[in-house]
Amino acid sequence: MTVELRGGLYIVATPIGNMKDLSIRAIEILENVFFIACEDTRVTGKLLFRYNVKTPMKAYHEHSTERVKNEILEAISENKAVAIVSDAGTPAISDPGYKLIKLCIEKNYYISAIPGANAAITGLVLSGIPTNRFVFFGFLNSKKIQKSNELAGLVDIPLTLIFYESPKRLVDTLQTMIKLLGNRPAAITRELTKRHEQVRRGSLKELFHYYQKVPAPKGELVLIVGGMEKKINVVDDNLDQIIIKRLKDKSLRDTSIEISDETGITKKIVYARALKLSKPKN
Ligand code: SAM
């Protein structure tokens, strides 16, 4: 169907495996843009063929030359509609797109996102790990020291953690996580939306022992790990009450350190609150 599109950049999510996971609106946009900027014309070509979309493609990735980037920006400046897609899922999520989006925002061009498949969210909802608050980390560094440093920075976060990981590095990553994050609930979601979709849930240790014994899993995976367990839930337990109780037999400093460790609230905040509570009221 021919539709008149406003000139601008259209960020179009494509399937992460199952070709049917492309929205009707996504097809309509892909059919009607001036051209489609994509990572790999062979991958996107297959999707377009499946949906009989004849729009021309232009290869665009993070290392594309200035020329390609300028061609995209020029087309938009001439009020043409241009779509950006990645090989799979949502562009700009561990995929090219962010720089182009930022440039379009800086130039005040119209941009629109057509939502759809994303491996992180699909894995998260299948994981059984809390979904209310989470951090998407994407790929950890492939080098061991950098990976350890990155994980060390996540130790205190009381939110579910989501990682993209290569099957080759899975065992090493699980082992490093056990060392740095401790044993936590986790899930490995693999080949999402595809024929051999699989979810394996367990503690980090259970998953490590399992994957250590079997050949590296095939395909693509998302690793979901529980956040730091709070020993005290400050929503349920009143922080002030806890501080007052501890201050009865502990110093301000010890109270702050202890409660900060247990709740994940920074020491500075707990200390300031404890200081206020320890002062006599006039
Ligand atoms: N932009 C994509 C998205 O929205 O999910 C992510 C692209 S990133 C380059 C590729 C990584 O996403 C893979 O290495 C894997 O960790 C994850 N991934 C993509 N498709 C997947 C699938 N069908 N099942 C599990 N993980 C997948």
Side-chain angles (χ1 to χ4, degrees):
M1 195 172 69
T2 310
V3 174
E4 191 71 37
L5 292 176
R6 182 171 170 186
L9 182 71
Y10 292 79
I11 307 149
V12 182
T14 59
I16 54 168
N18 190 322
M19 292 276 232
K20 289 182 190 160
D21 293 335
L22 185 69
S23 76
I24 295 167
R25 186 154 82 98
I27 300 169
E28 194 178 89
I29 301 280
L30 293 175
E31 273 173 342
N32 289 284
V33 288
F34 182 55
F35 64 78
I36 301 166
C38 59
E39 271 186 277
D40 185 332
T41 53
R42 283 164 307 178
V43 175
T44 301
K46 280 189 200 148
L47 184 71
L48 299 189
F49 180 76
R50 163 91 183 232
Y51 287 97
N52 201 24
V53 172
K54 306 257 168 40
T55 309
M57 291 177 281
K58 206 177 273 291
Y60 172 77
H61 40 80
E62 230 59 314
H63 308 291
S64 284
T65 57
E66 285 289 300
R67 184 180 56 78
V68 183
K69 197 182 69 198
N70 289 337
E71 276 172 18
I72 298 172
L73 293 173
E74 206 178 295
I76 299 173
S77 74
E78 289 164 2
N79 210 27
K80 290 183 170 120
V82 174
I84 178 167
V85 300
S86 57
D87 282 353
T90 303
I93 301 299
S94 296
D95 260 342
Y98 175 71
K99 284 186 192 161
L100 191 60
I101 293 166
K102 195 155 178 283
L103 277 170
C104 288
I105 293 169
E106 279 162 14
K107 290 182 181 290
N108 224 7
Y109 293 156
Y110 172 75
I111 62 169
S112 180
I114 292 77
N118 167 253
I121 298 296
T122 310
L124 172 68
V125 295
L126 283 173
S127 70
I129 316 275
T131 52
N132 52 341
R133 287 179 184 170
F134 56 86
V135 171
F136 170 66
F137 194 87
F139 288 101
L140 285 158
N141 201 298
S142 57
K143 301 200 179 72
K144 283 193 177 211
I145 295 177
Q146 281 92 327
K147 175 158 76 180
S148 295
N149 287 340
E150 286 176 344
L151 284 169
L154 302 175
V155 173
D156 290 340
I157 299 179
L159 314 173
T160 296
L161 307 169
I162 310 174
F163 303 91
Y164 286 161
E165 188 51 291
S166 129
K168 278 192 310 213
R169 291 194 280 269
L170 178 63
V171 170
D172 181 73
T173 297
L174 289 171
Q175 194 171 27
T176 317
M177 283 179 169
I178 295 166
K179 210 161 75 191
L180 293 165
L181 305 180
N183 198 18
R184 297 184 181 192
I188 284 152
T189 63
R190 209 169 60 76
E191 294 293 84
L192 293 163
T193 76
K194 301 183 196 174
R195 188 193 299 262
H196 299 293
E197 176 173 287
Q198 190 191 53
V199 182
R200 191 167 285 278
R201 303 177 185 90
S203 68
L204 282 172
K205 279 189 184 166
E206 283 164 348
L207 293 170
F208 168 70
H209 290 307
Y210 174 81
Y211 283 105
Q212 197 191 22
K213 286 194 208 109
V214 298
K218 290 201 171 68
E220 298 182 288
L221 60 88
V222 182
L223 169 56
I224 298 102
V225 182
M228 183 201 68
E229 279 274 320
K230 282 193 267 173
K231 290 184 199 125
I232 295 174
N233 186 347
V234 280
V235 178
D236 299 337
D237 306 304
N238 186 314
L239 181 62
D240 287 0
Q241 303 296 319
I242 300 163
I243 294 175
I244 292 165
K245 214 163 142 194
R246 300 278 169 103
L247 281 175
K248 284 189 181 145
D249 52 5
K250 287 195 176 84
S251 68
L252 258 176
R253 187 177 169 275
D254 289 349
T255 299
S256 317
I257 295 174
E258 222 177 78
I259 295 178
S260 166
D261 282 349
E262 291 171 18
T263 58
I265 302 172
T266 64
K267 258 180 273 174
K268 209 170 143 190
I269 293 176
V270 184
Y271 189 88
R273 191 72 204 144
L275 187 65
K276 198 163 177 202
L277 289 167
S278 66
K279 282 186 185 150
K281 287 193 185 96
N282 296 327

